[in-house]
Amino acid sequence: MKTMDIRPESFVSQLQCDRCGAQAHHDKDDGFNDFLQIAFDAGWGSSLGDGTHVEIDLCHSCVKATLGDWLRLSHAKWASPVGEA
């Protein structure tokens, strides 16, 4: 016999841009659609430090302002008009 129970689980309800402080809430407006979350572990010999865990949350405006000259922008396949690939 199984006895079922429900446990509340934590989740991200709000993001704040680490550069400008803009905020987004998971259930308001576009939610997190205008945010970029980056997280990775730096490898050995990295200028960030061997095995350093790196995280940053940026709004798309700050991504464009800081990395704009180096971003390669194109239409995503899901955003292309029907019949185009």
Side-chain angles (χ1 to χ4, degrees):
M1 172 172 42
K2 293 180 184 177
T3 302
M4 306 300 283
D5 195 359
I6 298 174
R7 293 185 198 170
E9 294 192 31
S10 64
F11 67 96
V12 177
S13 64
Q14 177 180 320
L15 287 176
Q16 182 170 336
C17 179
D18 291 318
R19 182 173 182 261
C20 75
Q23 295 182 0
H25 299 268
H26 77 98
D27 59 349
K28 293 183 183 172
D29 302 319
D30 286 336
F32 300 150
N33 289 335
D34 289 331
F35 265 76
L36 174 66
Q37 295 178 275
I38 299 172
F40 63 93
D41 293 333
W44 299 113
S46 169
S47 61
L48 297 171
D50 292 346
T52 301
H53 182 72
V54 179
E55 291 186 15
I56 190 166
D57 301 313
L58 294 171
C59 69
H60 285 184
S61 294
C62 285
V63 170
K64 186 176 181 179
T66 57
L67 299 174
D69 291 343
W70 302 280
L71 294 174
R72 293 181 294 276
L73 305 176
S74 61
H75 286 284
K77 289 185 179 185
W78 62 263
S80 297
V82 176
E84 290 184 25

